[in-house]
Each structure stands twice: as structure tokens, then as C-alpha cells.
Amino acid sequence: MLFRREVLEGIAGGRIDRVFRVWAEPRVRAGSTQRTWAGIIVIDSVTAVTPEEITEEDARRSGFKDRAALLTALSKSTKEGGYHRVMLHLGGPTPEAELAGNADLTDQELADLKTALDTIDTRSRRAPWTREVLRLIQEHPGLRALDLAEHLDRDKLPFKADVRRLKALGLTESLETGYRLSPRGKTLMAYLRSSTK
């Protein structure tokens, strides 16, 4: 499922605990999880509902002003099928987010991260790229992936795949548009700068 940024913020803040979708068949099931930038979303239940079964509380707890606004939004869906109420909650941070938030790194951890970057660069079919991409993101936080890729004369999709590899190490964070270095990434870049002096 796709979530708008304000919905994810509402889930993370505890204001939203349900969403509504138009589906011919449910796309998720109770007990399933989904990774998002806000953390891991846990699906509690999926129930087919009629418009009459949707309440004012449903509207408020799904981020709408009132029931009429929610029904209007659902009626504008171009998808075939019936209405479904998906109850959900934030299960916790993703492993990458937990890594990203940890900036208190030992010298050994920093050395291990440097080795991980070296290994990625060594195995790359092109010139070493990890530090260049990290530096670019550091200098241009929030810049679109397409624009960042153009800085390096690269295509967007392979560039985004590279950023995902850095994110898996906890070094970058996704924004609504573009990326930024995580606290962990900033600590590593400071270490790399000092180790080259």
C-alpha cells in the first residue's frame, strides 16, 4: 500500500489507526507488515465495509475532517471494487532507521563502515562511487534523485539503487523529496575527512 506523507506522520503520532481503500480483493492481510520511512506499519485487520458502515470516528481516525470528506475521497477512486477498512499501527522503526539514528560510533565501527564502502567500490563495475554519492547528498539535502543523478551524469534508477545500498548501511535517510545524510552518515563523513588529512 502507498501512504501519503501526512498519513504516515499521523500513524507515527498515533492520530491515525486506520485507512480506507477501494479494492476488488484486499491487497494486504492481518499480520502483514510494510516498511516505510516512518517505520514498520503492522496491519491489524482488513474488513470490507459499505458506505453506511463508515462512521465519523472512522473519518477522524483516518485523517479526514469528517465522514463526508472521507466518502468523497473514496468515491473519486478510479479503482474497481468495494470499500475496505484497514486497521493498522506503527510497529517500530525499520532496522535501517535504528542504524541511521546511531551517531555514537566507536573507532572500530567507523573503520568497519569505511571497509564496507571500500568493498562496495572494489566490486563495482565502474569507478568507485560511494563517497562521491555521500558527499553529493551531504551538499544537496532534499534534492530530487533525478537532479542528483544528473550531477553525476547517471540515470535515475541505477542511482537510486546505489542510494538504497548506502541506506542499508544506515548512512542516508529518504525525505519526501530526495535524501539527506543520517546522523550515522554525518559521523562517518567527518571520520573519512579526518582520516585523509
Side-chain angles (χ1 to χ4, degrees):
M1 286 196 302
L2 295 176
F3 297 96
R4 299 191 316 276
R5 183 176 188 86
E6 57 267 29
V7 171
L8 285 175
E9 289 172 346
I11 295 169
R15 300 183 304 279
I16 292 177
D17 63 5
R18 66 200 71 180
V19 294
F20 287 81
R21 294 291 187 267
V22 177
W23 287 326
E25 294 291 335
R27 303 282 180 86
V28 295
R29 57 182 175 75
S32 63
T33 60
Q34 184 170 335
R35 289 183 178 215
T36 71
W37 63 260
I40 297 175
I41 304 297
V42 180
I43 307 301
D44 298 314
S45 66
V46 182
T47 310
V49 293
T50 64
E52 293 74 26
E53 291 174 309
I54 296 174
T55 66
E56 288 290 341
E57 182 184 13
D58 281 332
R60 288 192 301 274
R61 298 295 293 171
S62 60
F64 286 86
K65 178 179 67 174
D66 55 31
R67 180 174 176 273
L70 170 56
L71 290 173
T72 297
L74 289 171
S75 71
K76 291 180 179 177
S77 173
T78 58
K79 296 177 181 175
E80 297 286 331
Y83 296 167
H84 291 78
R85 180 193 294 118
V86 182
M87 301 297 294
L88 42 74
H89 70 276
L90 187 68
T94 62
E96 294 92 340
E98 286 189 299
L99 273 180
N102 178 20
D104 186 20
L105 301 173
T106 66
D107 287 344
Q108 185 58 56
E109 287 172 323
L110 288 165
D112 289 345
L113 278 172
K114 179 179 181 296
T115 299
L117 296 184
D118 291 341
T119 300
I120 292 171
D121 284 338
T122 300
R123 292 178 178 171
S124 175
R125 293 178 181 175
R126 58 181 189 281
W129 59 267
T130 57
R131 290 156 179 79
E132 186 177 37
V133 170
L134 286 169
R135 190 164 45 251
L136 188 64
I137 291 171
Q138 185 174 39
E139 292 171 358
H140 303 281
L143 191 63
R144 293 186 313 162
L146 176 62
D147 296 327
L148 289 169
E150 286 178 352
H151 271 276
L152 302 176
D153 196 27
R154 296 193 55 205
D155 291 330
K156 182 177 81 168
L157 292 180
F159 175 82
K160 290 180 74 170
D162 285 346
V163 176
R164 282 196 296 273
R165 295 186 73 180
L166 298 173
K167 185 177 183 180
L169 293 172
L171 302 178
T172 66
E173 296 173 327
S174 296
L175 302 173
E176 186 171 8
T177 301
Y179 315 95
R180 68 182 174 199
L181 289 189
S182 67
R184 179 182 177 92
K186 290 176 184 176
T187 299
L188 176 64
M189 290 299 280
Y191 169 79
L192 293 175
R193 280 194 304 271
S194 65
S195 65
T196 57
K197 291 180 180 177

